[in-house]
Amino acid sequence: MSVRTRGVAVLCLLVLAAGCSDLPDLSDDEAAACAELTAALPDRVAGEDLTDDTDRTAAWGGIELTCGVGLPAAYDDFSSCSVVGDVGWFLPPAELKDPSADVTVMALTYSPRVSVLIPAEHRGSDEVQVAIAAAITSTLAEGDPCL
């Protein structure tokens, strides 16, 4: 299975686990913004080389970014997020329970929204979000602030 195929399969599983049936369609402007984002992403994140990228996705080893995702099922008006690199990142509370598990954080303060799968070995550090944040803030439209 290629890295690209594995990444799509993992993303589909994550989207289904989050309570979504598939990725939302993007407007032409959102698709252009995602393409601009993926073109601006760094070649290395958390010591991992860029192994795959499209106009909507990128992967550095097990770290996987998807642009143009819906709101996670666990997010509501009372949810909080952490600001790292001027981007508000939401982590579903249920994903905090097992520190040995992969997590998916979502950049909710820019549009289109971005999700990033962070493998367990990269948890405990903001290194992944910091590396990606500059590309998000320089290419995507600022949205609602984080709580």
Side-chain angles (χ1 to χ4, degrees):
M1 179 179 285
S2 74
V3 171
R4 180 175 187 77
T5 304
R6 184 182 64 81
V8 170
V10 169
L11 174 63
C12 289
L13 288 173
L14 288 171
V15 170
L16 290 172
C20 303
S21 60
D22 58 356
L23 290 173
D25 291 332
L26 299 179
S27 69
D28 290 344
D29 289 343
E30 290 170 327
C34 285
E36 189 176 344
L37 167 65
T38 58
L41 289 167
D43 291 332
R44 287 183 62 81
V45 169
E48 303 280 349
D49 289 324
L50 183 67
T51 54
D52 187 31
D53 67 284
T54 69
D55 284 348
R56 198 166 175 181
T57 64
W60 303 263
I63 301 165
E64 299 175 358
L65 174 142
T66 303
C67 183
V69 297
L71 274 173
Y75 187 80
D76 63 32
D77 290 340
F78 304 103
S79 297
S80 62
C81 56
S82 300
V83 177
V84 176
D86 293 327
V87 175
W89 297 93
F90 172 73
L91 175 62
E95 293 195 27
L96 292 171
K97 292 179 182 175
D98 182 1
S100 65
D102 299 349
V103 295
T104 301
V105 296
M106 298 190 69
L108 298 180
T109 57
Y110 284 81
S111 179
R113 288 180 290 272
V114 174
S115 70
V116 181
L117 170 68
I118 301 174
E121 63 266 21
H122 293 290
R123 285 183 69 163
S125 163
D126 293 336
E127 185 177 13
V128 172
Q129 292 105 305
V130 168
I132 294 169
I136 290 172
T137 60
S138 68
T139 61
L140 300 182
E142 193 164 3
D144 294 330
C146 215
L147 293 178

mmCIF file of all heavy atoms in Angstrom, residues 49-103:
data_model
loop_
_atom_site.group_PDB
_atom_site.id
_atom_site.type_symbol
_atom_site.label_atom_id
_atom_site.label_comp_id
_atom_site.label_asym_id
_atom_site.label_seq_id
_atom_site.Cartn_x
_atom_site.Cartn_y
_atom_site.Cartn_z
ATOM 1 N N ASP A 49 10.524 14.025 6.956
ATOM 2 C CA ASP A 49 10.498 14.614 5.613
ATOM 3 C C ASP A 49 9.107 14.519 5.016
ATOM 4 O O ASP A 49 8.371 13.557 5.267
ATOM 5 C CB ASP A 49 11.473 13.887 4.687
ATOM 6 C CG ASP A 49 12.915 14.178 5.029
ATOM 7 O OD1 ASP A 49 13.219 15.318 5.430
ATOM 8 O OD2 ASP A 49 13.746 13.259 4.887
ATOM 9 N N LEU A 50 8.764 15.495 4.184
ATOM 10 C CA LEU A 50 7.512 15.469 3.440
ATOM 11 C C LEU A 50 7.532 14.252 2.521
ATOM 12 O O LEU A 50 8.445 14.092 1.718
ATOM 13 C CB LEU A 50 7.361 16.757 2.620
ATOM 14 C CG LEU A 50 6.077 16.926 1.825
ATOM 15 C CD1 LEU A 50 4.879 17.073 2.773
ATOM 16 C CD2 LEU A 50 6.170 18.146 0.925
ATOM 17 N N THR A 51 6.546 13.374 2.680
ATOM 18 C CA THR A 51 6.512 12.135 1.906
ATOM 19 C C THR A 51 5.387 12.120 0.886
ATOM 20 O O THR A 51 5.394 11.284 -0.020
ATOM 21 C CB THR A 51 6.359 10.907 2.832
ATOM 22 O OG1 THR A 51 5.213 11.095 3.673
ATOM 23 C CG2 THR A 51 7.599 10.716 3.689
ATOM 24 N N ASP A 52 4.419 13.020 1.046
ATOM 25 C CA ASP A 52 3.285 13.024 0.129
ATOM 26 C C ASP A 52 2.564 14.353 0.259
ATOM 27 O O ASP A 52 2.434 14.882 1.366
ATOM 28 C CB ASP A 52 2.329 11.879 0.480
ATOM 29 C CG ASP A 52 1.214 11.714 -0.544
ATOM 30 O OD1 ASP A 52 1.434 11.998 -1.729
ATOM 31 O OD2 ASP A 52 0.116 11.303 -0.140
ATOM 32 N N ASP A 53 2.121 14.905 -0.861
ATOM 33 C CA ASP A 53 1.263 16.083 -0.787
ATOM 34 C C ASP A 53 0.414 16.193 -2.042
ATOM 35 O O ASP A 53 0.795 15.756 -3.114
ATOM 36 C CB ASP A 53 2.073 17.367 -0.551
ATOM 37 C CG ASP A 53 2.956 17.740 -1.713
ATOM 38 O OD1 ASP A 53 4.015 17.115 -1.899
ATOM 39 O OD2 ASP A 53 2.590 18.671 -2.447
ATOM 40 N N THR A 54 -0.776 16.749 -1.840
ATOM 41 C CA THR A 54 -1.709 17.026 -2.917
ATOM 42 C C THR A 54 -2.206 18.451 -2.691
ATOM 43 O O THR A 54 -1.715 19.142 -1.797
ATOM 44 C CB THR A 54 -2.908 16.060 -2.901
ATOM 45 O OG1 THR A 54 -3.721 16.341 -1.749
ATOM 46 C CG2 THR A 54 -2.479 14.596 -2.876
ATOM 47 N N ASP A 55 -3.203 18.868 -3.442
ATOM 48 C CA ASP A 55 -3.770 20.202 -3.220
ATOM 49 C C ASP A 55 -4.583 20.286 -1.936
ATOM 50 O O ASP A 55 -5.000 21.364 -1.539
ATOM 51 C CB ASP A 55 -4.663 20.607 -4.393
ATOM 52 C CG ASP A 55 -3.859 21.014 -5.607
ATOM 53 O OD1 ASP A 55 -2.632 21.202 -5.486
ATOM 54 O OD2 ASP A 55 -4.455 21.143 -6.693
ATOM 55 N N ARG A 56 -4.799 19.143 -1.272
ATOM 56 C CA ARG A 56 -5.628 19.147 -0.058
ATOM 57 C C ARG A 56 -4.989 18.413 1.116
ATOM 58 O O ARG A 56 -5.458 18.516 2.240
ATOM 59 C CB ARG A 56 -6.978 18.514 -0.396
ATOM 60 C CG ARG A 56 -8.054 18.842 0.604
ATOM 61 C CD ARG A 56 -9.428 18.504 0.073
ATOM 62 N NE ARG A 56 -10.415 18.730 1.106
ATOM 63 C CZ ARG A 56 -11.692 18.515 0.971
ATOM 64 N NH1 ARG A 56 -12.166 18.061 -0.164
ATOM 65 N NH2 ARG A 56 -12.515 18.739 1.964
ATOM 66 N N THR A 57 -3.934 17.662 0.875
ATOM 67 C CA THR A 57 -3.309 16.859 1.927
ATOM 68 C C THR A 57 -1.794 16.947 1.871
ATOM 69 O O THR A 57 -1.207 17.295 0.846
ATOM 70 C CB THR A 57 -3.714 15.377 1.800
ATOM 71 O OG1 THR A 57 -3.199 14.875 0.569
ATOM 72 C CG2 THR A 57 -5.218 15.195 1.856
ATOM 73 N N ALA A 58 -1.183 16.587 2.992
ATOM 74 C CA ALA A 58 0.272 16.467 3.054
ATOM 75 C C ALA A 58 0.602 15.461 4.142
ATOM 76 O O ALA A 58 -0.170 15.284 5.093
ATOM 77 C CB ALA A 58 0.924 17.814 3.362
ATOM 78 N N ALA A 59 1.744 14.797 4.010
ATOM 79 C CA ALA A 59 2.174 13.844 5.021
ATOM 80 C C ALA A 59 3.680 13.927 5.189
ATOM 81 O O ALA A 59 4.427 14.093 4.222
ATOM 82 C CB ALA A 59 1.767 12.430 4.632
ATOM 83 N N TRP A 60 4.087 13.845 6.424
ATOM 84 C CA TRP A 60 5.491 13.757 6.814
ATOM 85 C C TRP A 60 5.586 12.493 7.651
ATOM 86 O O TRP A 60 5.281 12.511 8.850
ATOM 87 C CB TRP A 60 5.911 14.959 7.657
ATOM 88 C CG TRP A 60 5.705 16.286 7.003
ATOM 89 C CD1 TRP A 60 6.638 17.027 6.334
ATOM 90 C CD2 TRP A 60 4.504 17.070 6.975
ATOM 91 N NE1 TRP A 60 6.093 18.194 5.881
ATOM 92 C CE2 TRP A 60 4.772 18.242 6.262
ATOM 93 C CE3 TRP A 60 3.208 16.875 7.471
ATOM 94 C CZ2 TRP A 60 3.823 19.225 6.047
ATOM 95 C CZ3 TRP A 60 2.257 17.840 7.258
ATOM 96 C CH2 TRP A 60 2.568 19.007 6.550
ATOM 97 N N GLY A 61 5.951 11.396 7.025
ATOM 98 C CA GLY A 61 5.919 10.126 7.750
ATOM 99 C C GLY A 61 4.490 9.866 8.209
ATOM 100 O O GLY A 61 3.552 9.897 7.429
ATOM 101 N N GLY A 62 4.296 9.661 9.507
ATOM 102 C CA GLY A 62 2.971 9.395 10.060
ATOM 103 C C GLY A 62 2.156 10.638 10.360
ATOM 104 O O GLY A 62 0.989 10.553 10.729
ATOM 105 N N ILE A 63 2.734 11.821 10.219
ATOM 106 C CA ILE A 63 2.017 13.083 10.443
ATOM 107 C C ILE A 63 1.244 13.395 9.173
ATOM 108 O O ILE A 63 1.826 13.447 8.091
ATOM 109 C CB ILE A 63 2.998 14.225 10.765
ATOM 110 C CG1 ILE A 63 3.811 13.907 12.006
ATOM 111 C CG2 ILE A 63 2.243 15.551 10.927
ATOM 112 C CD1 ILE A 63 5.041 14.796 12.190
ATOM 113 N N GLU A 64 -0.074 13.586 9.304
ATOM 114 C CA GLU A 64 -0.906 13.778 8.117
ATOM 115 C C GLU A 64 -1.807 14.993 8.274
ATOM 116 O O GLU A 64 -2.539 15.110 9.253
ATOM 117 C CB GLU A 64 -1.744 12.531 7.869
ATOM 118 C CG GLU A 64 -0.884 11.316 7.612
ATOM 119 C CD GLU A 64 -1.669 10.033 7.478
ATOM 120 O OE1 GLU A 64 -2.903 10.063 7.611
ATOM 121 O OE2 GLU A 64 -1.033 9.000 7.233
ATOM 122 N N LEU A 65 -1.758 15.896 7.308
ATOM 123 C CA LEU A 65 -2.567 17.113 7.296
ATOM 124 C C LEU A 65 -3.636 16.992 6.218
ATOM 125 O O LEU A 65 -3.357 16.510 5.116
ATOM 126 C CB LEU A 65 -1.665 18.312 7.004
ATOM 127 C CG LEU A 65 -2.353 19.660 6.821
ATOM 128 C CD1 LEU A 65 -1.507 20.766 7.451
ATOM 129 C CD2 LEU A 65 -2.643 19.982 5.375
ATOM 130 N N THR A 66 -4.844 17.453 6.559
ATOM 131 C CA THR A 66 -5.928 17.528 5.585
ATOM 132 C C THR A 66 -6.553 18.904 5.681
ATOM 133 O O THR A 66 -6.895 19.365 6.769
ATOM 134 C CB THR A 66 -7.005 16.458 5.850
ATOM 135 O OG1 THR A 66 -6.380 15.175 5.835
ATOM 136 C CG2 THR A 66 -8.090 16.503 4.792
ATOM 137 N N CYS A 67 -6.714 19.567 4.561
ATOM 138 C CA CYS A 67 -7.313 20.897 4.504
ATOM 139 C C CYS A 67 -8.762 20.778 4.029
ATOM 140 O O CYS A 67 -9.073 19.967 3.160
ATOM 141 C CB CYS A 67 -6.521 21.767 3.528
ATOM 142 S SG CYS A 67 -7.094 23.472 3.409
ATOM 143 N N GLY A 68 -9.635 21.591 4.608
ATOM 144 C CA GLY A 68 -11.031 21.613 4.193
ATOM 145 C C GLY A 68 -11.864 20.562 4.877
ATOM 146 O O GLY A 68 -12.660 19.875 4.241
ATOM 147 N N VAL A 69 -11.688 20.433 6.181
ATOM 148 C CA VAL A 69 -12.458 19.445 6.940
ATOM 149 C C VAL A 69 -13.639 20.116 7.638
ATOM 150 O O VAL A 69 -13.653 21.331 7.840
ATOM 151 C CB VAL A 69 -11.567 18.728 7.979
ATOM 152 C CG1 VAL A 69 -10.459 17.950 7.287
ATOM 153 C CG2 VAL A 69 -10.993 19.702 8.991
ATOM 154 N N GLY A 70 -14.621 19.330 8.024
ATOM 155 C CA GLY A 70 -15.764 19.840 8.770
ATOM 156 C C GLY A 70 -15.427 19.984 10.242
ATOM 157 O O GLY A 70 -14.341 19.604 10.694
ATOM 158 N N LEU A 71 -16.362 20.539 10.992
ATOM 159 C CA LEU A 71 -16.191 20.628 12.441
ATOM 160 C C LEU A 71 -16.244 19.228 13.033
ATOM 161 O O LEU A 71 -17.073 18.414 12.631
ATOM 162 C CB LEU A 71 -17.304 21.468 13.063
ATOM 163 C CG LEU A 71 -17.091 22.970 13.093
ATOM 164 C CD1 LEU A 71 -18.358 23.672 13.587
ATOM 165 C CD2 LEU A 71 -15.908 23.351 13.942
ATOM 166 N N PRO A 72 -15.389 18.952 14.015
ATOM 167 C CA PRO A 72 -15.450 17.628 14.640
ATOM 168 C C PRO A 72 -16.725 17.487 15.473
ATOM 169 O O PRO A 72 -17.234 18.468 16.029
ATOM 170 C CB PRO A 72 -14.200 17.605 15.525
ATOM 171 C CG PRO A 72 -13.845 19.029 15.740
ATOM 172 C CD PRO A 72 -14.325 19.785 14.540
ATOM 173 N N ALA A 73 -17.235 16.277 15.553
ATOM 174 C CA ALA A 73 -18.464 16.019 16.301
ATOM 175 C C ALA A 73 -18.333 16.432 17.762
ATOM 176 O O ALA A 73 -19.310 16.855 18.382
ATOM 177 C CB ALA A 73 -18.831 14.541 16.197
ATOM 178 N N ALA A 74 -17.129 16.353 18.325
ATOM 179 C CA ALA A 74 -16.914 16.676 19.742
ATOM 180 C C ALA A 74 -16.867 18.178 20.012
ATOM 181 O O ALA A 74 -16.856 18.597 21.162
ATOM 182 C CB ALA A 74 -15.620 16.032 20.235
ATOM 183 N N TYR A 75 -16.848 19.006 18.975
ATOM 184 C CA TYR A 75 -16.735 20.460 19.165
ATOM 185 C C TYR A 75 -18.117 21.081 19.314
ATOM 186 O O TYR A 75 -19.032 20.767 18.569
ATOM 187 C CB TYR A 75 -16.009 21.100 17.980
ATOM 188 C CG TYR A 75 -15.705 22.562 18.197
ATOM 189 C CD1 TYR A 75 -14.616 22.948 18.957
ATOM 190 C CD2 TYR A 75 -16.515 23.549 17.659
ATOM 191 C CE1 TYR A 75 -14.339 24.286 19.176
ATOM 192 C CE2 TYR A 75 -16.248 24.887 17.873
ATOM 193 C CZ TYR A 75 -15.159 25.246 18.638
ATOM 194 O OH TYR A 75 -14.884 26.569 18.860
ATOM 195 N N ASP A 76 -18.260 21.978 20.293
ATOM 196 C CA ASP A 76 -19.503 22.730 20.457
ATOM 197 C C ASP A 76 -19.177 24.145 20.922
ATOM 198 O O ASP A 76 -18.002 24.506 21.039
ATOM 199 C CB ASP A 76 -20.479 22.026 21.417
ATOM 200 C CG ASP A 76 -19.946 21.898 22.839
ATOM 201 O OD1 ASP A 76 -19.185 22.779 23.310
ATOM 202 O OD2 ASP A 76 -20.297 20.907 23.502
ATOM 203 N N ASP A 77 -20.193 24.949 21.184
ATOM 204 C CA ASP A 77 -19.995 26.357 21.560
ATOM 205 C C ASP A 77 -19.208 26.540 22.853
ATOM 206 O O ASP A 77 -18.730 27.630 23.138
ATOM 207 C CB ASP A 77 -21.343 27.071 21.695
ATOM 208 C CG ASP A 77 -22.029 27.258 20.352
ATOM 209 O OD1 ASP A 77 -21.338 27.199 19.316
ATOM 210 O OD2 ASP A 77 -23.260 27.467 20.346
ATOM 211 N N PHE A 78 -19.085 25.487 23.653
ATOM 212 C CA PHE A 78 -18.393 25.587 24.934
ATOM 213 C C PHE A 78 -17.015 24.939 24.913
ATOM 214 O O PHE A 78 -16.325 24.914 25.932
ATOM 215 C CB PHE A 78 -19.256 24.963 26.039
ATOM 216 C CG PHE A 78 -20.621 25.587 26.102
ATOM 217 C CD1 PHE A 78 -21.720 24.932 25.573
ATOM 218 C CD2 PHE A 78 -20.797 26.850 26.642
ATOM 219 C CE1 PHE A 78 -22.977 25.512 25.605
ATOM 220 C CE2 PHE A 78 -22.048 27.446 26.670
ATOM 221 C CZ PHE A 78 -23.144 26.775 26.163
ATOM 222 N N SER A 79 -16.611 24.410 23.781
ATOM 223 C CA SER A 79 -15.301 23.770 23.662
ATOM 224 C C SER A 79 -14.196 24.808 23.699
ATOM 225 O O SER A 79 -14.376 25.946 23.277
ATOM 226 C CB SER A 79 -15.215 22.990 22.347
ATOM 227 O OG SER A 79 -16.149 21.948 22.315
ATOM 228 N N SER A 80 -13.056 24.393 24.187
ATOM 229 C CA SER A 80 -11.907 25.288 24.197
ATOM 230 C C SER A 80 -10.829 24.733 23.277
ATOM 231 O O SER A 80 -10.877 23.582 22.869
ATOM 232 C CB SER A 80 -11.356 25.438 25.624
ATOM 233 O OG SER A 80 -10.905 24.190 26.103
ATOM 234 N N CYS A 81 -9.887 25.583 22.969
ATOM 235 C CA CYS A 81 -8.758 25.152 22.163
ATOM 236 C C CYS A 81 -7.505 25.849 22.669
ATOM 237 O O CYS A 81 -7.578 26.785 23.453
ATOM 238 C CB CYS A 81 -9.006 25.412 20.683
ATOM 239 S SG CYS A 81 -9.399 27.094 20.252
ATOM 240 N N SER A 82 -6.378 25.380 22.210
ATOM 241 C CA SER A 82 -5.093 25.954 22.598
ATOM 242 C C SER A 82 -4.531 26.724 21.425
ATOM 243 O O SER A 82 -4.547 26.237 20.290
ATOM 244 C CB SER A 82 -4.110 24.845 22.972
ATOM 245 O OG SER A 82 -4.595 24.090 24.045
ATOM 246 N N VAL A 83 -4.015 27.911 21.697
ATOM 247 C CA VAL A 83 -3.409 28.709 20.636
ATOM 248 C C VAL A 83 -1.913 28.397 20.594
ATOM 249 O O VAL A 83 -1.205 28.565 21.587
ATOM 250 C CB VAL A 83 -3.664 30.214 20.854
ATOM 251 C CG1 VAL A 83 -2.964 31.028 19.776
ATOM 252 C CG2 VAL A 83 -5.160 30.502 20.860
ATOM 253 N N VAL A 84 -1.476 27.907 19.451
ATOM 254 C CA VAL A 84 -0.071 27.590 19.208
ATOM 255 C C VAL A 84 0.286 28.193 17.865
ATOM 256 O O VAL A 84 -0.357 27.883 16.861
ATOM 257 C CB VAL A 84 0.178 26.062 19.197
ATOM 258 C CG1 VAL A 84 1.627 25.755 18.853
ATOM 259 C CG2 VAL A 84 -0.222 25.426 20.514
ATOM 260 N N GLY A 85 1.268 29.074 17.836
ATOM 261 C CA GLY A 85 1.672 29.702 16.576
ATOM 262 C C GLY A 85 0.587 30.569 15.976
ATOM 263 O O GLY A 85 0.444 30.599 14.758
ATOM 264 N N ASP A 86 -0.207 31.242 16.810
ATOM 265 C CA ASP A 86 -1.312 32.107 16.378
ATOM 266 C C ASP A 86 -2.462 31.347 15.724
ATOM 267 O O ASP A 86 -3.296 31.935 15.046
ATOM 268 C CB ASP A 86 -0.845 33.226 15.437
ATOM 269 C CG ASP A 86 0.059 34.225 16.141
ATOM 270 O OD1 ASP A 86 -0.154 34.468 17.352
ATOM 271 O OD2 ASP A 86 0.966 34.765 15.489
ATOM 272 N N VAL A 87 -2.520 30.051 15.916
ATOM 273 C CA VAL A 87 -3.603 29.217 15.389
ATOM 274 C C VAL A 87 -4.285 28.541 16.571
ATOM 275 O O VAL A 87 -3.618 28.011 17.460
ATOM 276 C CB VAL A 87 -3.055 28.144 14.412
ATOM 277 C CG1 VAL A 87 -4.155 27.200 13.968
ATOM 278 C CG2 VAL A 87 -2.390 28.800 13.210
ATOM 279 N N GLY A 88 -5.621 28.569 16.598
ATOM 280 C CA GLY A 88 -6.371 27.862 17.634
ATOM 281 C C GLY A 88 -6.536 26.406 17.243
ATOM 282 O O GLY A 88 -7.104 26.089 16.204
ATOM 283 N N TRP A 89 -6.013 25.508 18.075
ATOM 284 C CA TRP A 89 -6.045 24.073 17.808
ATOM 285 C C TRP A 89 -7.006 23.400 18.783
ATOM 286 O O TRP A 89 -6.896 23.571 19.994
ATOM 287 C CB TRP A 89 -4.664 23.456 17.983
ATOM 288 C CG TRP A 89 -3.638 23.981 17.037
ATOM 289 C CD1 TRP A 89 -2.779 25.025 17.251
ATOM 290 C CD2 TRP A 89 -3.360 23.510 15.723
ATOM 291 N NE1 TRP A 89 -1.980 25.215 16.154
ATOM 292 C CE2 TRP A 89 -2.311 24.297 15.199
ATOM 293 C CE3 TRP A 89 -3.894 22.487 14.945
ATOM 294 C CZ2 TRP A 89 -1.792 24.100 13.929
ATOM 295 C CZ3 TRP A 89 -3.370 22.286 13.670
ATOM 296 C CH2 TRP A 89 -2.334 23.077 13.178
ATOM 297 N N PHE A 90 -7.929 22.623 18.258
ATOM 298 C CA PHE A 90 -8.876 21.868 19.073
ATOM 299 C C PHE A 90 -8.448 20.411 19.101
ATOM 300 O O PHE A 90 -8.151 19.813 18.059
ATOM 301 C CB PHE A 90 -10.289 21.974 18.491
ATOM 302 C CG PHE A 90 -11.282 21.082 19.155
ATOM 303 C CD1 PHE A 90 -11.745 21.367 20.440
ATOM 304 C CD2 PHE A 90 -11.764 19.955 18.516
ATOM 305 C CE1 PHE A 90 -12.670 20.534 21.063
ATOM 306 C CE2 PHE A 90 -12.698 19.124 19.123
ATOM 307 C CZ PHE A 90 -13.142 19.415 20.407
ATOM 308 N N LEU A 91 -8.413 19.843 20.299
ATOM 309 C CA LEU A 91 -8.150 18.423 20.484
ATOM 310 C C LEU A 91 -9.352 17.838 21.204
ATOM 311 O O LEU A 91 -9.665 18.266 22.324
ATOM 312 C CB LEU A 91 -6.881 18.210 21.310
ATOM 313 C CG LEU A 91 -6.550 16.769 21.693
ATOM 314 C CD1 LEU A 91 -6.318 15.907 20.466
ATOM 315 C CD2 LEU A 91 -5.333 16.729 22.597
ATOM 316 N N PRO A 92 -10.055 16.904 20.585
ATOM 317 C CA PRO A 92 -11.212 16.307 21.263
ATOM 318 C C PRO A 92 -10.796 15.740 22.620
ATOM 319 O O PRO A 92 -9.793 15.020 22.716
ATOM 320 C CB PRO A 92 -11.659 15.197 20.310
ATOM 321 C CG PRO A 92 -11.175 15.645 18.971
ATOM 322 C CD PRO A 92 -9.869 16.340 19.249
ATOM 323 N N PRO A 93 -11.527 16.075 23.686
ATOM 324 C CA PRO A 93 -11.158 15.625 25.035
ATOM 325 C C PRO A 93 -10.968 14.117 25.151
ATOM 326 O O PRO A 93 -10.094 13.656 25.883
ATOM 327 C CB PRO A 93 -12.325 16.103 25.905
ATOM 328 C CG PRO A 93 -12.907 17.250 25.155
ATOM 329 C CD PRO A 93 -12.713 16.936 23.701
ATOM 330 N N ALA A 94 -11.735 13.340 24.425
ATOM 331 C CA ALA A 94 -11.612 11.879 24.495
ATOM 332 C C ALA A 94 -10.226 11.409 24.049
ATOM 333 O O ALA A 94 -9.751 10.365 24.498
ATOM 334 C CB ALA A 94 -12.692 11.218 23.648
ATOM 335 N N GLU A 95 -9.564 12.187 23.185
ATOM 336 C CA GLU A 95 -8.250 11.784 22.691
ATOM 337 C C GLU A 95 -7.143 12.042 23.710
ATOM 338 O O GLU A 95 -6.010 11.617 23.518
ATOM 339 C CB GLU A 95 -7.944 12.476 21.361
ATOM 340 C CG GLU A 95 -8.858 11.986 20.256
ATOM 341 C CD GLU A 95 -8.377 12.363 18.873
ATOM 342 O OE1 GLU A 95 -7.164 12.550 18.665
ATOM 343 O OE2 GLU A 95 -9.236 12.471 17.987
ATOM 344 N N LEU A 96 -7.460 12.727 24.795
ATOM 345 C CA LEU A 96 -6.476 12.987 25.842
ATOM 346 C C LEU A 96 -6.306 11.787 26.777
ATOM 347 O O LEU A 96 -5.329 11.709 27.504
ATOM 348 C CB LEU A 96 -6.888 14.214 26.664
ATOM 349 C CG LEU A 96 -6.824 15.543 25.933
ATOM 350 C CD1 LEU A 96 -7.467 16.636 26.774
ATOM 351 C CD2 LEU A 96 -5.393 15.889 25.586
ATOM 352 N N LYS A 97 -7.246 10.868 26.757
ATOM 353 C CA LYS A 97 -7.270 9.761 27.722
ATOM 354 C C LYS A 97 -6.104 8.799 27.593
ATOM 355 O O LYS A 97 -5.612 8.287 28.580
ATOM 356 C CB LYS A 97 -8.589 9.001 27.611
ATOM 357 C CG LYS A 97 -9.773 9.818 28.064
ATOM 358 C CD LYS A 97 -11.064 9.050 27.910
ATOM 359 C CE LYS A 97 -12.225 9.940 28.330
ATOM 360 N NZ LYS A 97 -13.505 9.291 28.095
ATOM 361 N N ASP A 98 -5.666 8.523 26.386
ATOM 362 C CA ASP A 98 -4.611 7.531 26.164
ATOM 363 C C ASP A 98 -3.376 8.205 25.573
ATOM 364 O O ASP A 98 -3.317 8.448 24.370
ATOM 365 C CB ASP A 98 -5.118 6.428 25.234
ATOM 366 C CG ASP A 98 -4.089 5.332 25.001
ATOM 367 O OD1 ASP A 98 -2.971 5.398 25.572
ATOM 368 O OD2 ASP A 98 -4.408 4.396 24.239
ATOM 369 N N PRO A 99 -2.374 8.490 26.416
ATOM 370 C CA PRO A 99 -1.183 9.189 25.914
ATOM 371 C C PRO A 99 -0.351 8.375 24.925
ATOM 372 O O PRO A 99 0.536 8.916 24.279
ATOM 373 C CB PRO A 99 -0.381 9.498 27.182
ATOM 374 C CG PRO A 99 -0.893 8.574 28.211
ATOM 375 C CD PRO A 99 -2.297 8.208 27.834
ATOM 376 N N SER A 100 -0.664 7.094 24.771
ATOM 377 C CA SER A 100 0.086 6.282 23.815
ATOM 378 C C SER A 100 -0.608 6.196 22.458
ATOM 379 O O SER A 100 -0.136 5.519 21.552
ATOM 380 C CB SER A 100 0.281 4.871 24.376
ATOM 381 O OG SER A 100 -0.965 4.213 24.503
ATOM 382 N N ALA A 101 -1.724 6.916 22.313
ATOM 383 C CA ALA A 101 -2.490 6.866 21.065
ATOM 384 C C ALA A 101 -2.198 8.088 20.190
ATOM 385 O O ALA A 101 -1.818 9.146 20.681
ATOM 386 C CB ALA A 101 -3.985 6.810 21.374
ATOM 387 N N ASP A 102 -2.396 7.920 18.893
ATOM 388 C CA ASP A 102 -2.320 9.040 17.965
ATOM 389 C C ASP A 102 -3.462 10.006 18.287
ATOM 390 O O ASP A 102 -4.492 9.586 18.823
ATOM 391 C CB ASP A 102 -2.476 8.562 16.525
ATOM 392 C CG ASP A 102 -1.389 7.588 16.091
ATOM 393 O OD1 ASP A 102 -0.395 7.426 16.814
ATOM 394 O OD2 ASP A 102 -1.566 6.988 15.014
ATOM 395 N N VAL A 103 -3.278 11.289 17.940
ATOM 396 C CA VAL A 103 -4.332 12.280 18.141
ATOM 397 C C VAL A 103 -4.526 13.067 16.854
ATOM 398 O O VAL A 103 -3.631 13.165 16.021
ATOM 399 C CB VAL A 103 -4.022 13.257 19.305
ATOM 400 C CG1 VAL A 103 -3.980 12.535 20.630
ATOM 401 C CG2 VAL A 103 -2.746 14.035 19.052
#
